[in-house]
Amino acid sequence: MATCFSLLPASPNSSMHFLSNLKKSHKNKPIHCSQSQYQKNHLLNLISDQERGLKTQSDPQKLSEIIQAIDDLTNIGRDTVTTGSSLSATWRLLWTTEKEQLYIIKNIAPFFGTKAGDVLQVIDVEKRNLNNVITFPPDGVFFVRSTIEVASSQRVNFRFTSAVLRQKNWEFPLPPFGQGWFETVYLDDEIRVVKDIRQDYLIVERAPYTWKE
């Protein structure tokens, strides 16, 4: 049986509360666990100081290590169904390779006079909708609305329908811009690992709250 080692501390500037909590709970206390738990902890350890992917953009070796860890979890979750009701949730970003999303996190925040807050993916399988959300506390938000359709046991097709840049006293609508698919290659009660049509990766945690427009 594998041994789950403690996670490294998350960056003090990151919003990865889940990673931080895991680190505290396992500090100096190796435990025995399943292979999936071991591989998951290894992946979370790798991304814990990567500032949601911003630092990984300039570190190809770290990117390679993270992708290998994702592939290992993909193999574990290969025969599971990840497009059922458990997919419905408010998911909070831990790490991604999506360049547009990372660009907004880094460069749009000054427009609001703040730093980017939680980055969310809000999915409702029953209602067939998905919102991609980037918050700029206290009142700013950029979100993209989409419709979704379950295509297989792990794949979901999506189509963007509208986008909005919003502040407390104003709102600026943007046109929809695209469609595609994503596959949830690993899903449990805590995290979700995704690969999409452009070979980008996304690692998210279940947020402790539900985001609504």
Side-chain angles (χ1 to χ4, degrees), residues 172-190:
F172 184 73
L174 300 167
F177 50 92
Q179 60 184 346
W181 56 259
F182 64 84
E183 291 181 340
T184 297
V185 297
Y186 179 83
L187 175 68
D188 64 18
D189 292 337
E190 297 174 322

Side-chain angles (χ1 to χ4, degrees), residues 163-182:
V164 174
L165 190 63
R166 178 185 293 168
Q167 183 56 286
K168 185 176 182 179
N169 298 316
W170 54 263
E171 179 173 304
F172 184 73
L174 300 167
F177 50 92
Q179 60 184 346
W181 56 259
F182 64 84

Side-chain angles (χ1 to χ4, degrees), residues 14 19 51-52 58 60 65 67 69 77 107 115 123 140 154-155 171:
S14 85
L19 298 180
E51 297 181 4
R52 296 189 280 203
S58 59
E65 292 173 358
I67 291 176
N107 296 293
K115 295 182 179 180
I123 300 176
Q154 294 196 340
R155 180 172 293 190
E171 179 173 304

Side-chain angles (χ1 to χ4, degrees), residues 21-140:
N21 289 338
L22 271 180
K23 187 257 181 182
K24 291 176 183 177
S25 67
H26 291 99
K27 186 177 181 180
N28 298 323
K29 294 181 180 179
I31 59 172
H32 293 289
C33 64
S34 67
Q35 186 67 17
S36 61
Q37 185 69 39
Y38 173 79
Q39 295 294 352
K40 181 176 79 169
N41 284 3
H42 175 58
L43 175 60
L44 294 177
N45 192 27
L46 287 172
I47 67 172
S48 65
D49 62 349
Q50 293 301 295
E51 297 181 4
R52 296 189 280 203
L54 289 171
K55 292 178 67 175
T56 319
Q57 290 180 309
S58 59
D59 191 341
Q61 181 177 348
K62 175 67 74 171
L63 176 62
S64 178
E65 292 173 358
I66 293 171
I67 291 176
Q68 180 58 59
I70 289 174
D71 288 343
D72 291 340
L73 268 184
T74 299
N75 289 331
I76 291 172
R78 188 173 303 280
D79 297 323
T80 61
V81 176
T82 60
T83 52
S85 59
S86 59
L87 182 60
S88 296
T90 296
W91 299 95
R92 181 164 56 188
L93 178 67
L94 297 177
W95 180 87
T96 188
T97 59
E98 294 178 2
K99 293 181 177 64
E100 294 86 353
Q101 192 161 199
L102 293 171
Y103 178 87
I104 293 172
I105 292 171
K106 182 178 181 180
N107 296 293
I108 301 299
F111 178 77
F112 289 99
T114 184
K115 295 182 179 180
D118 285 348
V119 179
L120 308 168
Q121 193 173 71
V122 186
I123 300 176
D124 190 319
V125 174
E126 183 178 357
K127 293 182 179 179
R128 298 184 179 181
N129 59 46
L130 177 154
N131 284 327
N132 287 300
V133 183
I134 302 178
T135 63
F136 300 97
D139 303 307

